[in-house]
Amino acid sequence: MSGIKALLNNKGSSVIMVLIAMAFISILGTILMFMAYTGYQIKSAEAKGERAFYSAETALDEVRAGIQAIVTECIAKAYTDMLVEYKHDMYDEEKDEPINLEDVFRRGFEHYFKTSDLFRQVSDGLFYNILADGDFVKVGDFISVTENINITSALETQPLDGQILGEVDRKAVGDEVVFVLKSIEISHSTADGFVSRVASDIVVVVPDFSYVRADYPINDIALIASETLNIPAADAGINDGIAFAGNITVNTGEHFEFSTNNTTLISSGNINVNGKFTTDSYSSLWARRIFVEKDDDVAYESSVQLLGDTYIADDLVLNGEESRAILKGRYYGFGRSLESADESSSIIVNGPGSTLDMSGLNTLFLAGHSFIDTGSGYNDILMGQSVSVKSDQLAYLVPASEIGLQSNPFIFDTAETPDTTGFEDDYHLVYRPVAATGQTLLFVFMKFDGIDGANGANTYFQKYFTDYSEEIKDYVSQYLNPYLLPDDPAANMQTSGYYYDLGIDDILISPVMPGVSLRLSRMYENITRSLSTSIQVGNEITPYSYIVDTNEVNKLENGRYDFIEDGNTRAVIIKCEGNSTTNISSLSPDVNLILSTGNVIADRAFEGLIISNGTIELYSSVTAAPRDIIPSIRAKNEAGDMFGKFLNQSFFTEDDHALEKSLSWDMSALVSYENWRRW
């Protein structure tokens, strides 16, 4: 029995179980610690490897940035040379053909690029020299730049210490010429042995002359008037260049005319014509709106002749009695708002006996509608025409019988306001006081709002014209005499609303393309800020601040500063307070570059560039002088400062290599990676 009890006795078994469990837990803990440590080692290795990779990638980016800096310098040199030699009619007498300026510019760029510090001539081949005279990438701290072994071994001359030579391939890709710097390889080694390598070809595109020239048009500019270009009673004109003004006022009277010849004339505001204004067939005009006015006490007519390309954000308005508008070439009214009359392009005739001659147009694009001016500055009334006369508003008066009034318009005493309950939401109500009697006129107009409103207005006017065509013709004839549509049956006619064709008793319409309107609106915003339809800058930028380094000009004391080149005064800066005025006749005849913070009076013929932060009064002709501007920009004042110091273009600084001012070229497009790889 004692043996059996001994076998059944379980004392001490719990100790054994605890020991087994502790052993199991110890083994499990060891395994988990080992796994965690292994994971840590893996993560640490990955982190160190990534740091090595990012260091190598950063070094390659530094190489690319260094190449971009050299490309920028080469563009500036080639472009400056091109500006000095540039003129509109450059001709190769030996070849008996015009000189291709783009080819000349590209050859100049290639010359400066291949002779830059980036390259070395070895035997008969051209090789890139990454570390020559500039150290693009900081070698050391375990970073090294390694060459393509096959190329290096093939060289007859061994590379110098600290330099790396690689093969360069010049080739055509489509319409572009590119330089390919082949197989630039960079490795990075950490202190504990981690190595990462990146390599890539770097492609350099030879830029177009036209692309660069569009960015920097300063030598083609004739004048900049930040506030107003004022043309008084004088035979004035602008020739062969770009001209900008905040607003333009033409008061030439009966015997004089303001004209442009081969000019891009830009106004960020209105053009007010009281006299004669003409753009020739080689000119372009951009403006917010055009008003053709006439003083009541004069006998002559006011007229505009727009013979080239015309781009208007809002309306062409014939306000004066017997006003004339002759349109040829292409006319684009690109504003297409259905709510704001100020942003909807149309042609409006308010002056009796006016002439609207569009017989010479090959393109008419009117994106907007006419509006009835309520006089309130808002809530103007949408009509269904893109070309309208003042009498058209009668068509939009609601019949008096429909609104319970004796007449429309309805005359009432101020104390006897009519009951308009029930139709305020359905119609436009316009109140006009009659000062002589103390009474008030109430006009009740049809209401067309939004997209559906435009369609409704168009349909309404078409039906009204059909039903009352003879009555409308009688009204129109009082305002338009004559009214001529394009002669060419193939002319492109697009409008948002209807317009008259009184010769065939019909209305013609072709809907505008919204994309064209939007594109032209953006181009107008650009050109009124940077003088380029393609360069986008901030809303606060003006052509004056885009061209002029205002910070440098503001540092000057008030006064006049002459800039001398070869013993002659070629340029002047007039720093002044307020509206101080400078007469060009008071300056040396050698001056062809004027910068004034005040006003300028052009009282003699002038060739060159006038920049005014105020008003320019034009009594004579101003002609752009592309060949003369660049030498004048290099002229220096008594302090030894070049005129170019006061301009925003960096290649006009005294040091052509200086890059401290921002350029507009897209270096990421001109200098890019190809065949990028890592391992």
Side-chain angles (χ1 to χ4, degrees):
M1 289 294 293
S2 61
I4 293 174
K5 289 181 179 180
L7 290 172
L8 296 176
N9 187 357
N10 59 1
K11 290 182 178 180
S13 62
S14 60
V15 175
I16 295 173
M17 291 299 293
V18 169
L19 291 174
I20 293 173
M22 291 179 62
F24 177 76
I25 292 172
S26 298
I27 294 171
L28 181 61
T30 302
I31 293 173
L32 291 175
M33 290 181 63
F34 178 76
M35 292 176 63
Y37 178 70
T38 302
Y40 168 77
Q41 288 182 313
I42 293 173
K43 292 293 184 182
S44 177
E46 288 179 352
K48 292 177 180 178
E50 287 298 311
R51 284 198 297 272
F53 162 68
Y54 289 135
S55 296
E57 183 184 43
T58 299
L60 186 59
D61 287 340
E62 290 176 359
V63 172
R64 181 190 181 206
I67 295 173
Q68 287 175 338
I70 286 180
V71 168
T72 302
E73 292 180 8
C74 295
I75 290 175
K77 291 179 181 178
Y79 183 60
T80 302
D81 290 348
M82 193 73 259
L83 291 180
V84 172
E85 298 299 326
Y86 170 76
K87 62 180 181 180
H88 288 283
D89 55 351
M90 291 182 71
Y91 201 82
D92 190 326
E93 299 292 347
E94 294 182 0
K95 295 183 179 180
D96 192 28
E97 63 183 20
I99 293 176
N100 189 320
L101 296 177
E102 291 194 6
D103 289 344
V104 174
F105 174 75
R106 290 191 185 102
R107 287 197 296 269
F109 172 83
E110 288 196 34
H111 165 73
Y112 286 118
F113 189 55
K114 290 190 291 188
T115 56
S116 68
D117 293 332
L118 180 61
F119 297 104
R120 283 191 63 207
Q121 195 74 36
V122 180
S123 297
D124 295 329
L126 187 68
F127 294 86
Y128 64 79
N129 189 10
I130 289 297
L131 301 182
D133 191 23
D135 294 343
F136 290 165
V137 61
K138 185 178 180 181
V139 179
D141 298 332
F142 308 102
I143 298 178
S144 64
V145 180
T146 60
E147 69 277 6
N148 184 311
I149 300 301
N150 294 331
I151 294 175
T152 303
S153 61
L155 296 178
E156 296 180 7
T157 303
Q158 293 298 318
L160 303 176
D161 293 340
Q163 295 181 338
I164 172 224
L165 302 182
E167 187 178 10
V168 179
D169 185 15
R170 180 190 182 279
K171 60 184 180 181
V173 179
D175 295 331
E176 296 179 333
V177 175
V178 301
F179 287 86
V180 182
L181 283 61
K182 293 184 175 180
S183 299
I184 299 177
E185 180 182 320
I186 294 182
S187 66
H188 177 266
S189 301
T190 66
D192 40 7
F194 286 90
V195 179
S196 183
R197 292 184 176 88
V198 294
S200 180
D201 302 338
I202 292 183
V203 178
V204 177
V205 178
V206 176
D208 292 334
F209 171 59
S210 58
Y211 168 68
V212 178
R213 182 168 172 259
D215 276 0
Y216 295 98
I218 188 169
N219 65 310
D220 272 346
I221 303 174
L223 62 85
I224 294 175
S226 288
E227 294 181 3
T228 301
L229 175 62
N230 184 24
I231 297 94
D235 224 349
I238 303 173
N239 307 307
D240 300 327
I242 300 168
F244 168 83
N247 293 282
I248 300 175
T249 301
V250 179
N251 286 296
T252 58
E254 180 179 7
H255 302 291
F256 298 95
E257 179 181 11
F258 171 67
S259 61
T260 69
N261 300 284
N262 194 27
T263 298
T264 299
L265 180 61
I266 306 160
S267 173
S268 58
N270 299 337
I271 299 178
N272 297 289
V273 179
N274 193 338
K276 298 180 181 179
F277 173 43
T278 299
T279 63
D280 76 331
S281 58
Y282 299 101
S283 292
S284 297
L285 173 65
W286 295 80
R288 175 66 54 191
R289 61 180 65 85
I290 301 176
F291 288 106
V292 185
E293 313 276 1
K294 193 183 78 166
D295 294 335
D296 293 335
D297 56 348
V298 297
Y300 63 83
E301 64 184 25
S302 286
S303 66
V304 295
Q305 295 189 73
L306 310 178
L307 309 183
D309 290 340
T310 304
Y311 305 90
I312 305 299
D314 189 18
D315 298 327
L316 166 60
V317 183
L318 302 183
N319 269 343
E321 184 176 349
E322 297 183 349
S323 299
R324 294 172 58 87
I326 299 174
L327 309 181
K328 296 185 178 181
R330 300 187 297 178
Y331 184 97
Y332 294 90
F334 52 85
R336 61 187 304 264
S337 173
L338 297 174
E339 289 80 30
S340 173
D342 291 340
E343 298 175 1
S344 188
S345 294
S346 65
I347 297 176
I348 300 174
V349 180
N350 288 331
S354 296
T355 295
L356 177 58
D357 183 352
M358 300 189 288
S359 60
L361 282 176
N362 54 52
T363 297
L364 173 64
F365 181 94
L366 288 175
H369 289 72
S370 301
F371 282 73
I372 299 173
D373 182 6
T374 63
S376 61
Y378 62 93
N379 203 27
D380 292 326
I381 300 166
L382 177 70
M383 296 197 293
Q385 304 100 289
S386 291
V387 179
S388 69
V389 298
K390 189 173 184 179
S391 59
D392 287 348
Q393 61 184 288
L394 299 176
Y396 295 88
L397 286 172
V398 179
S401 59
E402 290 191 15
I403 51 179
L405 297 177
Q406 295 176 355
S407 63
N408 188 11
F410 179 73
I411 303 176
F412 63 93
D413 293 328
T414 304
E416 300 174 354
T417 304
D419 182 11
T420 58
T421 304
F423 56 84
E424 299 96 328
D425 295 332
D426 298 325
Y427 306 108
H428 283 290
L429 306 182
V430 178
Y431 296 90
R432 290 287 179 85
V434 182
T437 65
Q439 295 175 312
T440 300
L441 282 173
L442 167 63
F443 295 84
V444 183
F445 288 103
M446 305 288 289
K447 179 184 287 188
F448 304 101
D449 296 325
I451 297 296
D452 293 335
N455 295 332
N458 291 354
T459 303
Y460 174 83
F461 180 70
Q462 182 185 36
K463 185 177 185 305
Y464 190 93
F465 185 93
T466 302
D467 294 342
Y468 302 96
S469 59
E470 293 303 320
E471 182 180 346
I472 287 178
K473 286 181 182 180
D474 290 339
Y475 283 131
V476 171
S477 64
Q478 297 176 29
Y479 287 88
L480 279 174
N481 183 27
Y483 172 65
L484 303 173
L485 286 173
D487 291 334
D488 185 358
N492 179 17
M493 309 287 283
Q494 299 182 56
T495 67
S496 281
Y498 291 92
Y499 58 93
Y500 308 109
D501 185 345
L502 301 178
I504 60 174
D505 297 335
D506 200 0
I507 301 176
L508 306 176
I509 183 171
S510 175
V512 301
M513 304 298 292
V516 175
S517 179
L518 179 60
R519 184 163 65 251
L520 289 173
S521 296
R522 290 173 176 170
M523 291 170 66
Y524 180 63
E525 289 179 358
N526 292 339
I527 202 170
T528 54
R529 297 168 188 168
S530 67
L531 301 183
S532 167
T533 57
S534 59
I535 301 175
Q536 299 182 18
V537 295
N539 295 347
E540 74 285 356
I541 301 299
T542 67
Y544 181 86
S545 62
Y546 183 73
I547 296 294
V548 176
D549 189 333
T550 54
N551 290 328
E552 290 294 335
V553 172
N554 290 338
K555 293 176 184 177
L556 297 173
E557 299 290 335
N558 289 344
R560 178 176 129 186
Y561 299 82
D562 292 349
F563 292 78
I564 312 297
E565 175 77 7
D566 296 330
N568 297 318
T569 301
R570 299 293 300 273
V572 297
I573 293 179
I574 299 101
K575 171 68 183 308
C576 56
E577 299 293 340
N579 296 321
S580 294
T581 300
T582 299
N583 290 60
I584 291 182
S585 59
S586 67
L587 304 176
S588 166
D590 295 320
V591 171
N592 50 37
L593 182 52
I594 300 170
L595 168 57
S596 173
T597 61
N599 302 329
V600 176
I601 296 178
D603 51 356
R604 66 167 171 82
F606 181 82
E607 293 187 5
L609 167 59
I610 306 171
I611 304 175
S612 166
N613 200 30
T615 294
I616 295 178
E617 239 178 78
L618 201 58
Y619 288 89
S620 188
S621 64
V622 173
T623 302
R627 289 180 61 85
D628 296 328
I629 294 304
I630 303 305
S632 297
I633 286 174
R634 296 181 184 277
K636 296 183 178 180
N637 61 12
E638 290 183 350
D641 294 326
M642 284 203 322
F643 189 98
K645 176 182 178 181
F646 302 92
L647 302 177
N648 279 326
Q649 282 78 355
S650 70
F651 50 82
F652 293 135
T653 58
E654 181 172 3
D655 180 4
D656 282 340
H657 299 282
L659 300 173
E660 69 275 5
K661 296 183 181 179
S662 175
L663 296 177
S664 298
W665 299 299
D666 185 359
M667 285 297 112
S668 62
L670 294 180
V671 182
S672 59
Y673 293 127
E674 187 174 79
N675 301 322
W676 190 94
R677 55 201 181 276
R678 63 171 291 190
W679 66 95

